[in-house]
Amino acid sequence: WQFVPRLTYAGMIDGINRYNKAVSDLARQENINIIEQDRLIPNNFEYFYDHVHFTDLGNKQFAINAASAVWDVFSHSYRGK
C-alpha cells in the first residue's frame, strides 16, 4: 500500500479479499478447479513478508498445496485404469 498513498491498509485487504472472491466465484461458475491458497496458508508473517509476498515457508506451503491438488486430480482420473 506504500505505492498507492490514498489506499488504506483496510482498503488494500478489502481489495485482496474481493479479488479472491471474484476468482473463486468465477471458477465455481465455470466449473474450474481452483486451489484457494488464501484459505490454506495462514495469514501471518511466518508465511508472508507482507500481505502479498510469501516467505520461503509460504512458498513451500503454496507448492505443497498445489502439488497435492494436482495429485488428487490425476489420481482420481487414473483410478481403475
Side-chain angles (χ1 to χ4, degrees), residues 23-72:
V23 170
S24 182
D25 289 349
L26 181 61
R28 281 189 192 79
Q29 176 184 332
E30 298 297 324
N31 198 31
I32 297 169
N33 291 334
I34 184 171
I35 305 164
E36 295 186 271
Q37 297 281 12
D38 62 317
R39 299 183 191 281
L40 298 173
I41 299 175
N43 187 12
N44 61 50
F45 288 115
E46 189 174 354
Y47 293 88
F48 289 89
Y49 284 115
D50 53 28
H51 298 286
V52 178
H53 301 98
F54 293 119
T55 62
D56 288 344
L57 183 60
N59 281 313
K60 181 178 179 181
Q61 189 61 55
F62 185 99
I64 289 168
N65 296 343
S68 177
V70 169
W71 176 257
D72 287 348

Side-chain angles (χ1 to χ4, degrees), residues 6 20 50 57 76 80:
R6 287 181 255 158
N20 288 342
D50 53 28
L57 183 60
H76 287 102

